[in-house]
Amino acid sequence: MAIKAFRSSILHFKTEGEAEYFDDGILVVENDQIKQVGRAEELLDSVKDLDLTVYENKMIMPGFIDTHIHYPQVDVIASYGEQLLDWLNNYTFPTEIQFEDPAFAKDTAEFFIDELLKNGTTTALVFGTKHKQSVDAFFEASSQRNTRMICGKVMMNRNAPDDLLDDVQSSYDDSQALIDQWHENGRQLYAVTPRFAITSTGEQLQKAGELLKNNPSVYMQTHLSENKDEIAFTMELFPERSSYLDVYDHYGLLGSRSVFAHGVHLEDADFQRLAETQSSISFCPTSNLFLGSGLFNLAAAERFNTSVSVATDVGGGTSFSMLQTLNEAYKICQLRNEKLDAKKAFYMATLGNAKTLQLDDKIGNFESGKEADFVVVDLQSTALMKRKQSKCKTLDEALFSLMILGDDRAISETYVAGEQVYKK
Ligand code: GUN
Ligand code: ZN
């Protein structure tokens, strides 16, 4: 039995409105789990015989959680000049074809997970490609690092290059085989992954619905109402459906484990239906700005009690950093004359995102018994941040400066299941 203790300032959230902050705290980790968190003054005696690591001028937080990202799009990041549909055709689809090669998939998956860890992200909901082997490569890399990850093979059988298409039966069979092999294998979890309505026939979406019915503990991830041309094309393909969301609803794809990326152009009735079915939206600010998709309406989602998480959407998104993602989320809210305060932002990136993934019994904060995924954050990682932090009078100001100015340089160390997996 290995018990370790870490002394630092510590921040985590007990609930949405309730941050717990220790200016001088101790986090006790037993094997791969959180044992205890509290004030150093109170815990020092009990940890005096333990392996104690002391951090000066750092803040320990739960590992960040990213609810929408594409591992095969590492090389698509920062591709110039197009909005969604042309960006997919010109950059993304040609790149994804390369994942036919398992060696390429392995190399990319390893780079990708290491990049997440370098940015303090310890759990993500991840797209593979249409190739079954792309998902094997991802889960193998994740298993080696013992990270809690959710991934799925993309189902797509039309409106893309032939080399990137599966068919109704093979997409069903490959998905089921991957579920059988990987879902709940160690820390790995599976998500049924129809790319979006444009690249699936109704028959394929039907099969995706069957997979969910037959495997009730798996997730569903897809894209929804990201871009105006995408919405128009979807309604041409499914004229009998009342809205883009209704396409997915018709095929049984809504539910508490269903995560819809973007939802930039939703009607009130869609927000309502998402809330009714406990489906969630993944808000991807850097992507929505980079691809010119639009400004997500967080206030409308909240009005309808629709659950919203926050995500990078690399390679449409422009950064692996959840700090940079919160920065851009703040600016999108500003453009709508709304405010996103720092506590809420950090809640979203940790416990809030864990809740939308129904993983808040395992990760997201430092409750005793949770999996010990955490980051050691350096709020003074650049000269400018150091100068700015010295002017901050409150925790809120310090956290706000961190989310606006911080990036991968602010991540000093990352721990996964109690083990250090990254050190700057
Ligand atoms: N819609 C369908 N596929 C994609 C994708 O790969 N990225 C984004 N941002 N939107 C999509
Ligand atoms: Zn995406």
Side-chain angles (χ1 to χ4, degrees):
M1 195 166 65
I3 307 187
K4 295 180 261 192
F6 302 87
R7 182 173 184 177
S8 169
S9 77
I10 300 174
L11 174 75
H12 73 141
F13 292 85
K14 298 187 115 173
T15 62
E16 171 153 14
E18 196 187 348
E20 185 170 55
Y21 176 68
F22 304 100
D23 190 36
D24 181 12
I26 285 185
L27 181 70
V28 186
V29 172
E30 182 170 350
N31 299 323
D32 55 351
Q33 289 185 0
I34 304 295
K35 189 172 160 67
Q36 204 177 6
V37 64
R39 285 171 51 212
E41 215 176 54
E42 283 169 20
L43 295 181
L44 260 180
D45 254 5
S46 65
V47 302
K48 65 179 186 307
D49 298 328
L50 303 180
D51 169 6
L52 176 71
T53 306
V54 180
Y55 296 110
E56 303 286 347
N57 297 318
K58 302 286 192 298
M59 190 186 289
I60 291 180
M61 291 185 193
F64 301 134
I65 299 169
D66 186 343
T67 63
H68 181 77
I69 187 164
H70 300 252
Y71 101 78
Q73 295 178 15
V74 168
D75 300 327
V76 178
I77 201 165
S79 291
Y80 175 74
E82 307 295 356
Q83 295 212 350
L84 178 64
L85 298 179
D86 292 330
W87 174 84
L88 285 170
N89 287 319
N90 296 351
Y91 298 116
T92 309
F93 292 159
T95 302
E96 290 192 9
I97 288 171
Q98 299 174 83
F99 287 75
E100 177 75 33
D101 174 6
F104 185 79
K106 176 178 191 287
D107 178 70
T108 309
E110 289 179 348
F111 177 89
F112 173 88
I113 296 177
D114 290 341
E115 193 66 20
L116 284 179
L117 295 172
K118 183 179 174 184
N119 280 277
T121 298
T122 48
T123 288
L125 174 54
V126 181
F127 273 58
T129 61
K130 79 110 183 187
H131 311 92
K132 179 174 179 285
Q133 60 268 32
S134 75
V135 177
D136 284 320
F138 180 82
F139 280 136
E140 275 156 21
S142 177
S143 296
Q144 272 170 13
R145 290 157 181 77
N146 200 19
T147 41
R148 185 168 280 292
M149 292 285 170
I150 314 171
C151 185
K153 174 215 123 58
V154 174
M155 303 171 77
M156 52 193 294
N157 69 342
R158 63 169 164 176
N159 292 318
D162 283 348
D163 286 348
L164 211 52
L165 298 182
D166 53 20
D167 59 59
V168 171
Q169 195 58 42
S170 75
S171 71
Y172 181 89
D173 294 342
D174 285 351
S175 301
Q176 186 62 57
L178 286 164
I179 292 168
D180 295 340
Q181 185 176 353
W182 290 108
H183 185 60
E184 295 174 342
N185 177 344
R187 301 187 81 194
Q188 312 314 313
L189 296 163
Y190 195 81
V192 171
T193 307
R195 179 170 214 120
F196 64 160
I198 289 176
T199 47
S200 287
T201 57
E203 240 188 323
Q204 185 171 58
L205 295 177
Q206 174 91 30
K207 283 288 187 196
E210 273 177 41
L211 284 163
L212 295 178
K213 233 195 202 141
N214 297 339
N215 303 276
S217 62
V218 303
Y219 293 85
M220 198 291 300
Q221 59 178 343
T222 189
H223 297 90
L224 170 69
S225 295
E226 177 177 4
N227 163 291
K228 295 244 167 91
D229 291 341
E230 171 213 16
I231 297 167
F233 191 13
T234 302
M235 297 320 292
E236 271 174 42
L237 293 170
F238 295 93
E240 69 285 8
R241 304 271 55 100
S242 64
S243 73
Y244 191 163
L245 182 68
D246 188 48
V247 175
Y248 296 135
D249 201 357
H250 178 75
Y251 294 106
L253 302 184
L254 277 58
S256 59
R257 287 173 184 268
S258 297
V259 180
F260 295 91
H262 308 299
V264 171
H265 306 284
L266 295 176
E267 305 290 335
D268 287 357
D270 300 319
F271 282 119
Q272 193 151 5
R273 183 66 188 144
L274 286 164
E276 252 169 41
T277 57
Q278 296 176 297
S279 306
S280 70
I281 298 176
S282 195
F283 170 25
C284 305
T286 73
S287 170
N288 296 162
L289 293 170
F290 181 74
L291 294 175
S293 303
L295 306 176
F296 179 67
N297 195 340
L298 183 59
E302 286 173 348
R303 222 171 27 249
F304 288 93
N305 258 323
T306 307
S307 128
V308 177
S309 59
V310 63
T312 62
D313 191 31
V314 164
T318 53
S319 173
F320 277 78
S321 169
M322 289 302 289
L323 300 173
Q324 276 307 292
T325 302
L326 298 178
N327 171 15
E328 301 300 308
Y330 175 82
K331 293 172 188 167
I332 287 183
C333 291
Q334 276 285 40
L335 285 163
R336 288 190 161 276
N337 206 17
E338 294 154 15
K339 291 177 190 175
L340 175 63
D341 71 73
K343 287 237 180 75
K344 179 170 166 182
F346 280 95
Y347 166 78
M348 287 180 88
T350 56
L351 185 62
N353 278 6
K355 264 193 201 301
T356 69
L357 297 179
Q358 304 215 317
L359 289 174
D360 53 309
D361 59 331
K362 297 186 173 65
I363 54 174
N365 69 8
F366 295 141
E367 249 172 53
S368 168
K370 290 213 182 166
E371 297 168 354
D373 295 345
F374 59 94
V375 284
V376 182
V377 180
D378 179 2
L379 284 79
Q380 307 177 11
S381 56
T382 66
L384 178 63
M385 285 173 75
K386 188 168 181 185
R387 187 176 169 116
K388 177 71 191 180
Q389 285 295 331
S390 74
K391 315 282 190 242
C392 290
K393 292 187 191 68
T394 63
L395 176 62
D396 288 271
E397 287 178 8
L399 290 173
F400 186 64
S401 305
L402 172 65
M403 78 185 227
I404 299 302
L405 300 175
D407 53 32
D408 58 328
R409 292 169 293 182
I411 307 302
S412 286
E413 298 179 25
T414 303
Y415 283 77
V416 162
E419 298 296 332
Q420 188 187 78
V421 291
Y422 170 74
K423 186 171 166 53
K424 197 168 128 182

